[in-house]
Amino acid sequence: MSQYSRPGLSRRSILAGSAGLALATALPRGARALVPALKEYRLNAAPAQVPLVGASRAETQVWAYHGQVPGPEIRVRQGERVRVLIENRLPEETTVHWHGVRVPNPMDGVPQLTQPPIGVGETFAYEFDCLDAGTFWYHPHQRSFAQAGRGLYGPFIVEENEPYPVDRDVTWMLGDWRLLKDGSISDDFGNLHDVSHAGRIGNTVTVNGLVREAFEVRAGERIRLRLINAANARIFGLTFEGHSPMVVALDGHPVEPHEPAGGQVVLGPAMRVDLVLDMTGRPGSRFKVVDSFYKGLEYQLLELSYTGEPLREVRATPVPRLPANPVREPDLSSARRHEVTLGGGMMGMMTGAMVHGDLMDIRSMLRQGLVWAINGVAATGHVHEPMATLAHGSSHVLAIANETAWWHPMHLHGHTFRVLSRNGVPTRYREWQDTVLIPPRERVEIGFAADNPGDWMFHCHVLEHQAGGMMGTIRVASA
Ligand code: C2O
Ligand code: CU
Protein backbone atom coordinates (compact mmCIF):
# COMPACT_ATOMS: atom_id res chain seq x y z
CA MET A 1 0.00 0.00 0.00
CA SER A 2 1.52 3.28 -0.96
CA GLN A 3 0.89 6.18 1.34
CA TYR A 4 2.22 9.56 0.47
CA SER A 5 2.30 11.53 3.62
CA ARG A 6 2.42 15.27 3.40
CA PRO A 7 5.06 17.33 5.06
CA GLY A 8 3.86 17.88 8.60
CA LEU A 9 5.93 19.89 10.97
CA SER A 10 5.03 17.78 13.95
CA ARG A 11 6.36 14.66 12.28
CA ARG A 12 9.66 16.10 11.30
CA SER A 13 12.96 16.34 12.95
CA ILE A 14 15.08 18.52 10.81
CA LEU A 15 18.76 18.19 11.32
CA ALA A 16 20.15 20.36 8.65
CA GLY A 17 23.80 21.04 8.10
CA SER A 18 25.44 24.27 7.16
CA ALA A 19 27.09 24.79 3.82
CA GLY A 20 27.72 22.03 1.39
CA LEU A 21 26.45 18.53 1.59
CA ALA A 22 24.60 18.26 4.81
CA LEU A 23 23.35 15.09 6.26
CA ALA A 24 22.35 14.08 9.67
CA THR A 25 19.96 12.01 11.62
CA ALA A 26 20.42 10.71 15.08
CA LEU A 27 17.19 9.16 16.15
CA PRO A 28 17.42 5.98 18.14
CA ARG A 29 16.15 3.04 16.12
CA GLY A 30 13.09 2.46 18.26
CA ALA A 31 11.86 6.01 17.73
CA ARG A 32 11.86 5.73 13.99
CA ALA A 33 8.37 4.34 13.57
CA LEU A 34 6.78 7.22 15.44
CA VAL A 35 8.88 10.09 14.20
CA PRO A 36 10.26 9.51 10.73
CA ALA A 37 13.67 11.06 10.48
CA LEU A 38 14.24 13.76 7.95
CA LYS A 39 17.56 13.82 6.20
CA GLU A 40 18.50 17.01 4.53
CA TYR A 41 20.98 17.51 1.74
CA ARG A 42 22.07 20.62 -0.09
CA LEU A 43 23.42 20.21 -3.57
CA ASN A 44 24.41 22.75 -6.11
CA ALA A 45 24.47 22.05 -9.82
CA ALA A 46 27.35 23.91 -11.40
CA PRO A 47 30.19 23.72 -13.89
CA ALA A 48 33.26 21.96 -12.48
CA GLN A 49 36.59 20.48 -13.49
CA VAL A 50 37.22 16.80 -12.81
CA PRO A 51 39.96 14.33 -13.73
CA LEU A 52 37.82 11.79 -15.60
CA VAL A 53 40.66 10.02 -17.29
CA GLY A 54 43.06 10.12 -14.36
CA ALA A 55 45.40 12.59 -12.74
CA SER A 56 48.02 12.41 -15.50
CA ARG A 57 45.66 13.78 -18.14
CA ALA A 58 43.94 17.10 -18.58
CA GLU A 59 40.89 17.67 -16.45
CA THR A 60 37.51 17.80 -18.09
CA GLN A 61 35.10 20.67 -17.80
CA VAL A 62 31.82 19.05 -16.71
CA TRP A 63 28.55 20.00 -15.09
CA ALA A 64 28.31 18.41 -11.68
CA TYR A 65 26.39 18.17 -8.44
CA HIS A 66 28.57 19.63 -5.76
CA GLY A 67 31.66 19.63 -7.91
CA GLN A 68 31.85 15.87 -8.20
CA VAL A 69 30.97 13.20 -10.73
CA PRO A 70 28.95 11.32 -9.77
CA GLY A 71 27.21 13.72 -7.43
CA PRO A 72 27.22 12.97 -3.70
CA GLU A 73 25.58 9.73 -2.70
CA ILE A 74 22.28 10.31 -1.00
CA ARG A 75 21.78 7.46 1.45
CA VAL A 76 18.75 7.08 3.67
CA ARG A 77 16.94 4.25 5.33
CA GLN A 78 13.62 2.90 4.11
CA GLY A 79 10.73 4.88 5.56
CA GLU A 80 12.82 7.98 6.13
CA ARG A 81 11.99 11.29 4.63
CA VAL A 82 14.52 13.18 2.59
CA ARG A 83 14.75 16.82 1.66
CA VAL A 84 17.20 17.93 -0.98
CA LEU A 85 17.78 21.60 -1.68
CA ILE A 86 19.04 22.09 -5.19
CA GLU A 87 20.77 25.32 -6.04
CA ASN A 88 21.07 25.99 -9.74
CA ARG A 89 24.42 27.55 -10.61
CA LEU A 90 24.29 26.31 -14.19
CA PRO A 91 23.99 28.71 -17.12
CA GLU A 92 20.48 27.33 -17.84
CA GLU A 93 17.34 26.04 -16.13
CA THR A 94 17.31 22.62 -14.58
CA THR A 95 15.26 20.17 -12.47
CA VAL A 96 16.07 16.98 -10.61
CA HIS A 97 14.26 13.71 -11.17
CA TRP A 98 14.57 10.92 -8.58
CA HIS A 99 14.73 8.02 -10.95
CA GLY A 100 12.79 5.00 -9.69
CA VAL A 101 11.76 6.58 -6.39
CA ARG A 102 7.98 6.59 -6.08
CA VAL A 103 7.61 10.23 -5.12
CA PRO A 104 4.43 12.35 -5.06
CA ASN A 105 3.92 13.99 -8.43
CA PRO A 106 5.00 17.56 -7.48
CA MET A 107 8.40 16.15 -6.43
CA ASP A 108 9.04 14.27 -9.68
CA GLY A 109 11.22 16.93 -11.27
CA VAL A 110 9.68 17.11 -14.73
CA PRO A 111 9.83 20.70 -15.97
CA GLN A 112 6.47 22.33 -16.73
CA LEU A 113 4.63 19.06 -16.05
CA THR A 114 5.28 18.78 -12.31
CA GLN A 115 7.10 22.03 -11.46
CA PRO A 116 8.44 25.17 -13.06
CA PRO A 117 12.09 24.63 -13.98
CA ILE A 118 14.61 25.87 -11.43
CA GLY A 119 15.87 29.14 -12.88
CA VAL A 120 19.49 30.21 -13.00
CA GLY A 121 20.52 31.19 -9.48
CA GLU A 122 17.35 29.73 -7.95
CA THR A 123 16.88 27.02 -5.36
CA PHE A 124 14.23 24.33 -5.14
CA ALA A 125 13.46 21.98 -2.25
CA TYR A 126 12.49 18.42 -3.03
CA GLU A 127 11.02 16.49 -0.14
CA PHE A 128 9.50 13.03 -0.02
CA ASP A 129 9.31 9.75 1.89
CA CYS A 130 11.43 6.84 0.76
CA LEU A 131 8.89 4.05 0.53
CA ASP A 132 11.09 1.48 -1.16
CA ALA A 133 14.54 0.24 -0.27
CA GLY A 134 16.93 -0.12 -3.16
CA THR A 135 19.33 1.42 -5.63
CA PHE A 136 18.03 4.56 -7.33
CA TRP A 137 19.61 7.67 -8.83
CA TYR A 138 19.03 11.31 -9.58
CA HIS A 139 19.53 13.38 -12.70
CA PRO A 140 18.07 16.47 -14.40
CA HIS A 141 14.96 16.22 -16.54
CA GLN A 142 15.54 19.49 -18.33
CA ARG A 143 17.50 18.97 -21.58
CA SER A 144 18.68 15.81 -19.92
CA PHE A 145 20.55 14.60 -23.00
CA ALA A 146 22.96 17.52 -22.50
CA GLN A 147 22.76 18.00 -18.72
CA ALA A 148 23.17 14.34 -17.72
CA GLY A 149 25.57 13.96 -20.63
CA ARG A 150 27.82 16.62 -19.09
CA GLY A 151 27.95 14.79 -15.78
CA LEU A 152 24.87 15.69 -13.75
CA TYR A 153 23.88 12.46 -12.01
CA GLY A 154 24.31 10.82 -8.63
CA PRO A 155 23.37 7.70 -6.68
CA PHE A 156 20.36 7.57 -4.36
CA ILE A 157 20.50 4.57 -2.03
CA VAL A 158 17.72 3.52 0.30
CA GLU A 159 18.90 0.96 2.83
CA GLU A 160 16.75 -1.91 4.04
CA ASN A 161 15.70 -1.70 7.67
CA GLU A 162 17.50 -4.96 8.39
CA PRO A 163 21.07 -4.81 7.11
CA TYR A 164 21.71 -7.21 4.26
CA PRO A 165 24.51 -9.65 5.20
CA VAL A 166 27.51 -8.66 3.09
CA ASP A 167 31.01 -7.50 3.93
CA ARG A 168 30.88 -4.43 1.73
CA ASP A 169 28.18 -2.42 0.02
CA VAL A 170 29.66 -0.89 -3.12
CA THR A 171 28.15 1.32 -5.83
CA TRP A 172 29.52 1.53 -9.35
CA MET A 173 27.88 4.30 -11.26
CA LEU A 174 28.70 3.79 -14.91
CA GLY A 175 29.19 6.87 -17.07
CA ASP A 176 29.87 7.23 -20.77
CA TRP A 177 31.56 10.28 -22.28
CA ARG A 178 32.34 11.50 -25.74
CA LEU A 179 35.67 13.19 -25.20
CA LEU A 180 37.83 15.06 -27.67
CA LYS A 181 41.62 14.63 -27.79
CA ASP A 182 42.17 17.50 -25.38
CA GLY A 183 39.98 15.81 -22.78
CA SER A 184 37.02 18.14 -23.24
CA ILE A 185 33.48 16.96 -23.83
CA SER A 186 32.38 16.97 -27.44
CA ASP A 187 29.50 19.44 -27.47
CA ASP A 188 27.54 17.83 -30.32
CA PHE A 189 24.68 17.01 -27.95
CA GLY A 190 21.41 16.08 -29.57
CA ASN A 191 22.74 15.85 -33.13
CA LEU A 192 20.39 14.19 -35.59
CA HIS A 193 22.63 11.21 -36.18
CA ASP A 194 22.66 10.27 -32.49
CA VAL A 195 18.96 10.99 -32.19
CA SER A 196 18.00 8.78 -35.12
CA HIS A 197 20.36 5.87 -34.34
CA ALA A 198 21.48 4.35 -31.04
CA GLY A 199 21.79 7.64 -29.16
CA ARG A 200 24.94 9.34 -27.94
CA ILE A 201 27.38 6.50 -27.39
CA GLY A 202 30.67 7.87 -26.12
CA ASN A 203 34.28 6.78 -26.26
CA THR A 204 35.22 6.82 -22.58
CA VAL A 205 33.55 4.78 -19.87
CA THR A 206 33.95 5.73 -16.23
CA VAL A 207 33.18 3.94 -12.99
CA ASN A 208 32.25 6.48 -10.33
CA GLY A 209 33.60 9.25 -12.51
CA LEU A 210 37.02 7.79 -13.32
CA VAL A 211 38.53 5.51 -15.92
CA ARG A 212 39.78 2.75 -13.66
CA GLU A 213 42.35 0.03 -13.94
CA ALA A 214 41.46 -2.00 -10.92
CA PHE A 215 39.04 -2.46 -8.09
CA GLU A 216 40.59 -3.95 -4.97
CA VAL A 217 38.94 -6.91 -3.29
CA ARG A 218 39.89 -9.43 -0.66
CA ALA A 219 39.65 -13.19 -0.91
CA GLY A 220 36.59 -14.55 0.82
CA GLU A 221 34.78 -11.22 0.79
CA ARG A 222 31.09 -11.00 -0.11
CA ILE A 223 30.23 -7.72 -1.85
CA ARG A 224 26.89 -6.23 -2.71
CA LEU A 225 27.63 -4.42 -5.94
CA ARG A 226 25.09 -1.81 -6.95
CA LEU A 227 25.44 -1.09 -10.65
CA ILE A 228 23.80 2.05 -12.00
CA ASN A 229 23.84 2.87 -15.70
CA ALA A 230 23.97 6.67 -15.89
CA ALA A 231 24.95 6.74 -19.58
CA ASN A 232 22.81 8.65 -22.05
CA ALA A 233 22.62 5.72 -24.44
CA ARG A 234 25.21 3.02 -23.87
CA ILE A 235 23.94 -0.42 -22.91
CA PHE A 236 26.34 -2.45 -20.75
CA GLY A 237 26.75 -6.23 -20.82
CA LEU A 238 29.20 -7.07 -18.05
CA THR A 239 30.92 -10.37 -17.40
CA PHE A 240 33.04 -11.09 -14.34
CA GLU A 241 35.85 -13.45 -15.32
CA GLY A 242 36.25 -16.31 -12.83
CA HIS A 243 33.26 -15.20 -10.73
CA SER A 244 29.57 -16.04 -10.52
CA PRO A 245 27.59 -12.91 -9.76
CA MET A 246 24.09 -13.38 -8.43
CA VAL A 247 21.41 -10.83 -9.30
CA VAL A 248 19.46 -9.90 -6.15
CA ALA A 249 17.66 -6.72 -7.24
CA LEU A 250 16.66 -5.00 -10.48
CA ASP A 251 15.95 -1.28 -10.60
CA GLY A 252 16.18 -1.33 -6.82
CA HIS A 253 13.55 -4.01 -6.28
CA PRO A 254 14.30 -7.48 -4.93
CA VAL A 255 14.20 -10.40 -7.32
CA GLU A 256 14.72 -14.07 -6.60
CA PRO A 257 18.52 -14.40 -6.49
CA HIS A 258 19.69 -15.83 -9.81
CA GLU A 259 22.62 -15.94 -12.15
CA PRO A 260 22.27 -13.56 -15.08
CA ALA A 261 21.45 -15.19 -18.42
CA GLY A 262 24.66 -16.33 -20.07
CA GLY A 263 26.65 -14.91 -17.16
CA GLN A 264 26.23 -11.42 -18.63
CA VAL A 265 24.75 -8.59 -16.57
CA VAL A 266 22.84 -6.37 -19.00
CA LEU A 267 21.92 -2.80 -18.07
CA GLY A 268 20.19 -0.42 -20.42
CA PRO A 269 20.42 3.31 -19.72
CA ALA A 270 18.95 4.24 -16.32
CA MET A 271 18.73 0.64 -15.17
CA ARG A 272 20.21 -0.74 -11.98
CA VAL A 273 21.30 -4.22 -11.03
CA ASP A 274 22.31 -5.23 -7.51
CA LEU A 275 24.71 -8.16 -7.51
CA VAL A 276 26.10 -10.34 -4.77
CA LEU A 277 29.69 -11.15 -5.69
CA ASP A 278 31.62 -13.75 -3.74
CA MET A 279 35.34 -13.14 -4.04
CA THR A 280 36.49 -16.65 -4.74
CA GLY A 281 39.95 -15.78 -6.16
CA ARG A 282 43.34 -16.14 -4.51
CA PRO A 283 45.30 -13.27 -3.00
CA GLY A 284 47.41 -11.62 -5.69
CA SER A 285 45.21 -12.71 -8.58
CA ARG A 286 43.43 -10.42 -11.06
CA PHE A 287 40.24 -10.98 -13.02
CA LYS A 288 38.81 -8.96 -15.88
CA VAL A 289 35.44 -7.31 -15.83
CA VAL A 290 34.54 -6.95 -19.50
CA ASP A 291 31.74 -5.12 -21.27
CA SER A 292 30.84 -7.14 -24.33
CA PHE A 293 27.39 -5.80 -25.12
CA TYR A 294 28.27 -4.47 -28.58
CA LYS A 295 29.80 -7.19 -30.75
CA GLY A 296 33.31 -6.29 -31.86
CA LEU A 297 33.51 -3.37 -29.42
CA GLU A 298 34.36 -5.31 -26.27
CA TYR A 299 36.61 -3.57 -23.77
CA GLN A 300 37.84 -4.12 -20.25
CA LEU A 301 35.96 -2.05 -17.71
CA LEU A 302 38.49 -2.80 -14.96
CA GLU A 303 40.10 -5.70 -13.14
CA LEU A 304 39.19 -7.18 -9.80
CA SER A 305 42.50 -7.15 -7.98
CA TYR A 306 42.95 -9.39 -4.94
CA THR A 307 45.05 -7.62 -2.36
CA GLY A 308 45.85 -8.17 1.30
CA GLU A 309 45.08 -11.13 3.48
CA PRO A 310 42.05 -13.29 2.80
CA LEU A 311 39.06 -12.10 4.79
CA ARG A 312 37.97 -15.67 5.38
CA GLU A 313 37.89 -19.06 3.77
CA VAL A 314 35.31 -18.97 1.01
CA ARG A 315 32.16 -20.70 2.07
CA ALA A 316 29.34 -21.29 -0.32
CA THR A 317 26.54 -19.84 1.76
CA PRO A 318 23.30 -19.20 -0.07
CA VAL A 319 22.56 -15.67 -1.23
CA PRO A 320 19.55 -14.46 0.78
CA ARG A 321 16.58 -12.80 -0.82
CA LEU A 322 16.04 -9.15 -0.05
CA PRO A 323 12.77 -8.24 1.68
CA ALA A 324 10.02 -7.17 -0.73
CA ASN A 325 9.13 -3.50 -1.13
CA PRO A 326 5.58 -2.27 -0.45
CA VAL A 327 4.61 -2.05 -4.13
CA ARG A 328 0.99 -2.69 -4.88
CA GLU A 329 0.47 -5.85 -6.91
CA PRO A 330 -1.47 -5.27 -10.15
CA ASP A 331 -4.70 -7.26 -10.37
CA LEU A 332 -4.15 -8.90 -13.73
CA SER A 333 -7.64 -10.38 -13.91
CA SER A 334 -9.19 -6.91 -14.01
CA ALA A 335 -6.30 -5.08 -15.69
CA ARG A 336 -7.05 -2.86 -18.65
CA ARG A 337 -4.83 -3.56 -21.63
CA HIS A 338 -3.16 -0.80 -23.64
CA GLU A 339 -1.32 -1.37 -26.89
CA VAL A 340 1.79 0.77 -27.14
CA THR A 341 3.75 0.86 -30.38
CA LEU A 342 7.23 2.29 -30.61
CA GLY A 343 8.03 3.50 -34.11
CA GLY A 344 10.55 5.50 -36.09
CA GLY A 345 14.30 5.80 -36.21
CA MET A 346 16.67 4.93 -39.03
CA MET A 347 15.42 1.95 -41.00
CA GLY A 348 12.08 2.38 -39.28
CA MET A 349 9.99 3.22 -42.37
CA MET A 350 8.03 5.86 -40.49
CA THR A 351 6.50 8.27 -43.01
CA GLY A 352 5.13 10.75 -40.51
CA ALA A 353 3.56 11.17 -37.10
CA MET A 354 1.24 13.41 -35.13
CA VAL A 355 3.08 16.47 -33.84
CA HIS A 356 1.14 18.92 -31.66
CA GLY A 357 -2.09 17.33 -32.88
CA ASP A 358 -1.35 17.56 -36.62
CA LEU A 359 -0.04 14.93 -38.98
CA MET A 360 3.48 15.85 -40.03
CA ASP A 361 5.53 14.16 -42.73
CA ILE A 362 8.89 12.72 -41.81
CA ARG A 363 10.88 15.39 -43.67
CA SER A 364 9.32 18.20 -41.70
CA MET A 365 9.74 16.15 -38.54
CA LEU A 366 13.45 15.68 -39.21
CA ARG A 367 13.88 19.42 -39.55
CA GLN A 368 12.68 19.68 -35.94
CA GLY A 369 14.84 16.79 -34.76
CA LEU A 370 11.85 14.49 -34.40
CA VAL A 371 12.44 10.90 -35.44
CA TRP A 372 10.51 8.70 -33.02
CA ALA A 373 6.90 8.15 -32.06
CA ILE A 374 4.79 6.31 -29.53
CA ASN A 375 1.45 5.22 -30.98
CA GLY A 376 2.08 7.52 -33.91
CA VAL A 377 2.69 10.60 -31.79
CA ALA A 378 6.06 12.35 -31.71
CA ALA A 379 6.12 14.39 -28.52
CA THR A 380 8.00 17.58 -27.84
CA GLY A 381 8.47 19.33 -24.51
CA HIS A 382 7.18 17.77 -21.34
CA VAL A 383 3.48 18.60 -21.34
CA HIS A 384 1.38 16.29 -23.49
CA GLU A 385 -2.16 15.17 -23.99
CA PRO A 386 -2.09 11.94 -21.91
CA MET A 387 -1.72 8.68 -23.83
CA ALA A 388 -4.13 7.20 -21.29
CA THR A 389 -6.05 8.30 -18.23
CA LEU A 390 -6.17 5.65 -15.51
CA ALA A 391 -8.51 5.46 -12.57
CA HIS A 392 -6.74 5.65 -9.23
CA GLY A 393 -6.09 2.17 -7.89
CA SER A 394 -6.91 0.39 -11.15
CA SER A 395 -4.58 -2.13 -12.77
CA HIS A 396 -3.11 -1.94 -16.25
CA VAL A 397 -1.08 -3.90 -18.73
CA LEU A 398 0.97 -2.04 -21.30
CA ALA A 399 1.66 -4.30 -24.27
CA ILE A 400 4.65 -2.54 -25.80
CA ALA A 401 5.70 -3.45 -29.32
CA ASN A 402 9.09 -2.21 -30.44
CA GLU A 403 8.62 -1.87 -34.18
CA THR A 404 11.97 -0.19 -34.66
CA ALA A 405 15.45 -1.49 -35.45
CA TRP A 406 16.85 -0.13 -32.16
CA TRP A 407 16.91 -0.94 -28.44
CA HIS A 408 14.74 1.16 -26.15
CA PRO A 409 14.87 1.27 -22.34
CA MET A 410 11.32 2.45 -21.63
CA HIS A 411 10.83 4.21 -18.31
CA LEU A 412 7.60 4.95 -16.44
CA HIS A 413 7.66 7.62 -13.75
CA GLY A 414 5.95 7.35 -10.37
CA HIS A 415 5.33 3.62 -10.49
CA THR A 416 7.05 0.28 -10.46
CA PHE A 417 5.80 -2.36 -12.88
CA ARG A 418 6.14 -6.09 -13.26
CA VAL A 419 7.70 -7.29 -16.50
CA LEU A 420 5.18 -10.01 -17.37
CA SER A 421 6.23 -11.42 -20.72
CA ARG A 422 8.58 -11.03 -23.65
CA ASN A 423 7.38 -12.05 -27.11
CA GLY A 424 4.46 -13.80 -25.44
CA VAL A 425 6.64 -15.92 -23.15
CA PRO A 426 6.09 -15.28 -19.43
CA THR A 427 9.20 -13.95 -17.72
CA ARG A 428 10.77 -16.28 -15.22
CA TYR A 429 11.11 -13.77 -12.37
CA ARG A 430 8.24 -11.35 -13.08
CA GLU A 431 10.73 -8.70 -12.07
CA TRP A 432 9.70 -5.31 -10.74
CA GLN A 433 11.32 -2.60 -12.83
CA ASP A 434 10.91 1.07 -13.60
CA THR A 435 12.77 0.79 -16.90
CA VAL A 436 12.36 -2.12 -19.29
CA LEU A 437 14.93 -2.71 -22.01
CA ILE A 438 13.22 -3.74 -25.24
CA PRO A 439 15.31 -5.22 -28.06
CA PRO A 440 14.45 -4.43 -31.69
CA ARG A 441 11.18 -6.00 -32.85
CA GLU A 442 10.37 -7.40 -29.41
CA ARG A 443 7.02 -7.24 -27.64
CA VAL A 444 6.98 -6.79 -23.89
CA GLU A 445 4.07 -6.76 -21.48
CA ILE A 446 4.30 -4.86 -18.22
CA GLY A 447 1.68 -4.65 -15.48
CA PHE A 448 1.16 -2.14 -12.71
CA ALA A 449 -1.36 -0.70 -10.28
CA ALA A 450 -1.98 2.99 -10.96
CA ASP A 451 -1.76 4.08 -7.33
CA ASN A 452 0.13 7.37 -7.56
CA PRO A 453 -2.01 10.26 -8.82
CA GLY A 454 -0.66 12.73 -11.34
CA ASP A 455 0.68 13.07 -14.86
CA TRP A 456 3.66 10.78 -15.31
CA MET A 457 6.20 10.60 -18.09
CA PHE A 458 6.61 7.41 -20.05
CA HIS A 459 9.68 7.68 -22.26
CA CYS A 460 12.72 6.07 -23.73
CA HIS A 461 15.78 6.58 -21.53
CA VAL A 462 18.12 6.78 -24.47
CA LEU A 463 18.05 10.50 -23.82
CA GLU A 464 18.45 11.36 -27.51
CA HIS A 465 15.45 9.16 -28.38
CA GLN A 466 13.42 10.94 -25.73
CA ALA A 467 14.42 14.29 -27.18
CA GLY A 468 13.58 12.95 -30.64
CA GLY A 469 9.94 12.30 -29.76
CA MET A 470 9.84 8.97 -27.93
CA MET A 471 7.88 10.07 -24.92
CA GLY A 472 4.39 10.50 -23.64
CA THR A 473 2.37 11.04 -20.50
CA ILE A 474 0.15 8.72 -18.53
CA ARG A 475 -2.41 10.33 -16.24
CA VAL A 476 -3.47 8.70 -13.01
CA ALA A 477 -6.65 10.40 -11.84
CA SER A 478 -6.79 11.55 -8.21
CA ALA A 479 -8.46 9.34 -5.68
CU1 C2O B 1 15.58 8.82 -15.44
CU2 C2O B 1 12.22 10.48 -17.08
O1 C2O B 1 13.90 9.69 -16.27
CU1 CU C 1 14.90 4.57 -27.45
Side-chain angles (χ1 to χ4, degrees):
M1 234 78 350
S2 316
Q3 296 292 344
Y4 299 95
S5 51
R6 308 211 160 263
L9 280 168
S10 57
R11 295 177 60 235
R12 283 195 274 172
S13 75
I14 300 178
L15 299 135
S18 49
L21 173 67
L23 60 152
T25 179
L27 285 172
R29 274 200 108 141
R32 193 167 293 121
L34 298 171
V35 186
L38 181 88
K39 277 193 180 168
E40 181 161 299
Y41 291 78
R42 288 160 197 258
L43 300 182
N44 61 62
Q49 296 259 119
V50 296
L52 288 179
V53 197
S56 61
R57 300 268 296 277
E59 295 209 327
T60 303
Q61 177 84 41
V62 298
W63 288 1
Y65 291 114
H66 237 74
Q68 37 183 111
V69 178
E73 178 183 88
I74 295 177
R75 187 175 270 263
V76 299
R77 185 163 286 141
Q78 186 171 18
E80 284 180 335
R81 193 169 179 85
V82 66
R83 170 195 271 184
V84 190
L85 292 166
I86 301 286
E87 185 191 341
N88 180 11
R89 295 194 209 147
L90 300 169
E92 63 185 46
E93 297 178 330
T94 193
T95 63
V96 180
H97 172 60
W98 312 94
H99 187 114
V101 185
R102 296 186 296 134
V103 300
N105 194 258
M107 296 291 115
D108 198 42
V110 180
Q112 276 89 33
L113 188 69
T114 69
Q115 68 169 99
I118 311 170
V120 176
E122 288 177 6
T123 295
F124 188 88
Y126 292 93
E127 185 174 329
F128 48 86
D129 294 325
C130 299
L131 307 172
D132 302 320
T135 305
F136 306 101
W137 65 297
Y138 60 95
H139 65 78
H141 223 284
Q142 170 84 358
R143 292 198 342 115
S144 52
F145 60 93
Q147 294 195 1
R150 287 189 190 276
L152 286 169
Y153 55 75
F156 190 105
I157 309 294
V158 185
E159 294 176 347
E160 294 80 25
N161 274 304
E162 288 307 316
Y164 189 65
V166 288
D167 298 306
R168 255 203 296 168
D169 186 328
V170 173
T171 302
W172 287 2
M173 199 159 199
L174 305 172
D176 180 31
W177 310 81
R178 186 176 288 170
L179 297 183
L180 304 176
K181 288 236 162 49
D182 64 359
S184 66
I185 296 174
S186 165
D187 66 0
D188 58 340
F189 288 105
N191 71 71
L192 196 56
H193 184 275
D194 287 345
V195 171
S196 58
H197 293 74
R200 179 183 175 91
I201 309 249
N203 53 19
T204 306
V205 169
T206 54
V207 177
N208 296 340
L210 262 187
V211 176
R212 283 168 205 270
E213 299 252 300
F215 176 74
E216 295 195 348
V217 300
R218 286 174 71 188
E221 201 180 15
R222 174 170 276 186
I223 292 179
R224 175 180 186 166
L225 182 58
R226 303 173 186 261
L227 298 167
I228 306 175
N229 183 354
N232 279 27
R234 181 182 289 276
I235 304 170
F236 292 88
L238 302 182
T239 49
F240 293 76
E241 181 193 25
H243 293 74
S244 309
M246 294 288 279
V247 176
V248 295
L250 294 166
D251 288 352
H253 294 272
V255 64
E256 185 185 322
H258 64 275
E259 291 185 28
Q264 193 187 42
V265 181
V266 174
L267 292 110
M271 297 173 71
R272 287 88 65 213
V273 177
D274 284 33
L275 299 176
V276 167
L277 257 182
D278 281 322
M279 295 304 159
T280 48
R282 297 230 162 104
S285 57
R286 288 172 85 93
F287 296 88
K288 295 180 198 321
V289 178
V290 172
D291 175 9
S292 50
F293 185 81
Y294 301 101
K295 296 277 159 299
L297 297 171
E298 296 81 2
Y299 65 95
Q300 179 178 308
L301 184 70
L302 47 67
E303 282 187 329
L304 301 176
S305 165
Y306 281 76
T307 53
E309 291 297 304
L311 193 66
R312 67 168 69 82
E313 283 302 306
V314 180
R315 286 174 279 117
T317 52
V319 171
R321 212 193 149 112
L322 285 158
N325 278 321
V327 182
R328 194 190 296 184
E329 192 65 54
D331 171 13
L332 296 178
S333 61
S334 72
R336 212 170 108 205
R337 193 181 163 84
H338 309 259
E339 303 289 336
V340 178
T341 303
L342 311 180
M346 282 306 282
M347 301 176 290
M349 320 282 248
M350 191 165 81
T351 54
M354 299 300 285
V355 179
H356 300 303
D358 291 315
L359 186 61
M360 190 181 275
D361 66 274
I362 188 73
R363 278 166 183 282
S364 320
M365 284 175 64
L366 283 170
R367 265 182 252 122
Q368 300 188 25
L370 292 172
V371 187
W372 304 96
I374 300 181
N375 288 347
V377 177
T380 61
H382 282 97
V383 181
H384 318 117
E385 191 52 39
M387 295 165 53
T389 298
L390 316 181
H392 185 263
S394 58
S395 293
H396 299 270
V397 169
L398 304 188
I400 311 170
N402 178 0
E403 295 189 351
T404 80
W406 305 90
W407 293 73
H408 304 290
M410 298 303 298
H411 172 46
L412 175 63
H413 285 213
H415 295 78
T416 302
F417 50 77
R418 277 201 190 275
V419 182
L420 301 170
S421 73
R422 291 183 178 268
N423 284 335
V425 181
T427 53
R428 175 140 177 218
Y429 300 106
R430 302 178 84 246
E431 52 271 24
W432 290 113
Q433 303 243 239
D434 55 59
T435 306
V436 60
L437 183 60
I438 313 181
R441 313 284 168 203
E442 192 167 287
R443 296 179 59 88
V444 169
E445 287 179 316
I446 63 173
F448 66 99
D451 63 351
N452 196 358
D455 281 7
W456 302 101
M457 295 280 307
F458 173 68
H459 66 87
C460 181
H461 222 289
V462 169
L463 300 175
E464 293 72 28
H465 291 180
Q466 179 194 355
M470 194 174 272
M471 58 183 158
T473 304
I474 291 179
R475 176 169 295 164
V476 177
S478 342

